[in-house]
Amino acid sequence: MAMKSEIVDAMDGLDAGSPPAVFTQSGTVSQMDACGCRWPEANFDIDKMIELALQMSRQYGFDTVRIPFDITAEAEGLGATVLPGNGRMQPMVSGSPWRVADLSERPELPPMDEFLSGRCSMHVEAGRRLSRDHPELFLTAGIFGPMGVVGHLIGMEEMMIASITEPDAVKRWTEAVLPYQCEYARMLSEVCDNVMMITGGSEDIMPPSTFDDFVAPFDGKVFSCIRESFSLAHCCGQTGHVLRRLASLGETALSVCSFGDPEYIAREVGGRAVLAGGVPAVETLMLRGPEDVISDARRAADAGYGVITPECGVPPLTSDANLLALAHYREHNIVNYE
């Protein structure tokens, strides 16, 4: 089990040998059953959110804690409608006042204090309470990147099409959203050890040629506002053609999907950021067994990852055995993964 001081040293880029395991993702059904705090209530009630967030440490031994469990609060604060989800599904954006809007005009979004008065404010307060009451745990807060928030507001498919047909309009929307994300990130950085932003850049959504127009300038500004804590850029999907640029946004650490080749990720990133990840969330944590979890974790460690984490959001039905294996991967003796 990793101590918080080990995690801090790893995020600082200090190589102490075997990297610590960190849980930076979401809740599981087993955790919800064990503590009695479940989705959707734990996404909207601060006491239940804190109780469920602490369960990853209490149940598996991670010296880490993560809030919140979803990525819809920013869009909700800007006027979007959110479906609460259920015990196995996170909240999701179902609509917004701008889904049929004329993208050529800059949107009139709510005042900053109104944006921050909802769940965003609750997340900041949850971070403050967790840091005060559990200073021994490494606290990560997750946010959505500006382009992702724009996709929630105008529709992801509409944004993807508009990035080709109306690129200037998409930039105006992203510029309009940017101050909200910057302020939210800044506030979280004051009460948390680490702010993890789900950034753009996935080649499954946008072609690599658009990275410098729609991702780098905006995400880089958000990372520049995270001054009081570490920062982590997470990107789902294929990122092979933009890895070096993803690692150069100003973040402390980078988390991407390795698709079974952590050595390639480490070579491409080349020390530009601390690498976090190494254990596929679905292919290994969800569908395979503890020995596979340990093998993947050790392979990533050997490849040069500074922090071992799930590579994406952990499915709610992930087994206790696999999460225990991840938390304690350094303590187990198994046949070498080769």
Side-chain angles (χ1 to χ4, degrees), residues 88-108:
R88 299 186 181 186
M89 185 176 71
Q90 297 171 336
M92 61 181 295
V93 173
S94 59
S96 88
W98 297 281
R99 288 289 171 93
V100 294
D102 181 0
L103 297 183
S104 65
E105 297 184 5
R106 186 182 178 94
E108 293 187 13

Side-chain angles (χ1 to χ4, degrees), residues 279 283-284 287-297 322 334:
V279 182
E283 294 87 344
T284 299
L287 299 177
R288 300 172 73 185
E291 289 195 354
D292 302 300
V293 173
I294 295 168
S295 290
D296 282 356
N322 281 357
I334 62 168

Side-chain angles (χ1 to χ4, degrees), residues 124-139:
V124 173
E125 177 59 22
R128 182 176 292 108
R129 286 167 52 176
L130 282 164
S131 294
R132 179 195 66 203
D133 298 338
H134 297 276
E136 76 281 6
L137 300 179
F138 185 84
L139 171 58

Side-chain angles (χ1 to χ4, degrees), residues 177-217:
V177 163
L178 181 62
Y180 299 89
Q181 293 305 96
C182 283
E183 181 62 10
Y184 183 38
R186 183 194 66 77
M187 294 176 67
L188 286 170
S189 77
E190 291 182 346
V191 298
C192 299
D193 298 300
N194 178 42
V195 176
M196 180 182 79
M197 182 167 72
I198 299 176
T199 186
S202 171
E203 296 166 28
D204 302 321
I205 297 176
M206 303 283 281
S209 59
T210 66
F211 187 90
D212 292 332
D213 290 328
F214 299 113
V215 179

Side-chain angles (χ1 to χ4, degrees), residues 32-219:
M32 297 179 207
D33 289 344
C35 69
C37 297
R38 299 175 173 85
W39 300 344
E41 293 83 9
N43 290 305
F44 301 93
D45 180 289
I46 188 170
D47 294 321
K48 293 179 179 179
M49 174 177 291
I50 290 172
E51 189 68 18
L52 179 56
L54 288 169
Q55 196 61 25
M56 66 181 70
S57 175
R58 293 169 175 166
Q59 194 162 334
Y60 309 120
F62 290 98
D63 277 344
T64 56
V65 62
R66 154 73 195 272
I67 55 165
F69 310 115
D70 74 300
I71 52 173
T72 63
E74 298 102 304
E76 184 179 54
L78 294 172
T81 303
V82 171
L83 295 178
N86 55 47
R88 299 186 181 186
M89 185 176 71
Q90 297 171 336
M92 61 181 295
V93 173
S94 59
S96 88
W98 297 281
R99 288 289 171 93
V100 294
D102 181 0
L103 297 183
S104 65
E105 297 184 5
R106 186 182 178 94
E108 293 187 13
L109 298 175
M112 182 68 72
D113 58 351
E114 182 177 329
F115 166 75
L116 294 171
S117 65
R119 278 199 295 148
C120 291
S121 177
M122 184 183 77
H123 298 162
V124 173
E125 177 59 22
R128 182 176 292 108
R129 286 167 52 176
L130 282 164
S131 294
R132 179 195 66 203
D133 298 338
H134 297 276
E136 76 281 6
L137 300 179
F138 185 84
L139 171 58
T140 290
I143 66 173
F144 211 12
M147 191 174 73
V149 177
V150 172
H152 272 167
L153 294 180
I154 69 175
M156 190 61 68
E157 183 176 347
E158 288 77 3
M159 185 195 71
M160 293 166 60
I161 294 172
S163 68
I164 299 171
T165 61
E166 300 179 77
D168 289 341
V170 174
K171 289 179 185 177
R172 282 193 294 272
W173 273 82
T174 313
E175 288 169 353
V177 163
L178 181 62
Y180 299 89
Q181 293 305 96
C182 283
E183 181 62 10
Y184 183 38
R186 183 194 66 77
M187 294 176 67
L188 286 170
S189 77
E190 291 182 346
V191 298
C192 299
D193 298 300
N194 178 42
V195 176
M196 180 182 79
M197 182 167 72
I198 299 176
T199 186
S202 171
E203 296 166 28
D204 302 321
I205 297 176
M206 303 283 281
S209 59
T210 66
F211 187 90
D212 292 332
D213 290 328
F214 299 113
V215 179
F218 304 107
D219 289 12

Side-chain angles (χ1 to χ4, degrees), residues 259-338:
F259 295 102
D261 194 355
E263 295 83 6
Y264 169 78
I265 303 296
R267 287 194 304 270
E268 284 296 297
V269 171
R272 292 173 177 82
V274 174
L275 273 174
V279 182
V282 176
E283 294 87 344
T284 299
L285 276 172
M286 174 71 178
L287 299 177
R288 300 172 73 185
E291 289 195 354
D292 302 300
V293 173
I294 295 168
S295 290
D296 282 356
R298 291 183 174 175
R299 180 176 178 180
D302 290 344
Y305 280 54
V307 182
I308 305 303
T309 76
E311 290 186 344
C312 201
V314 172
L317 293 177
T318 299
S319 71
D320 288 345
N322 281 357
L323 289 173
L324 281 165
L326 176 60
H328 302 277
Y329 86 94
R330 299 183 296 185
E331 304 160 28
H332 290 272
N333 294 315
I334 62 168
V335 176
N336 189 282
Y337 60 80
E338 295 179 346

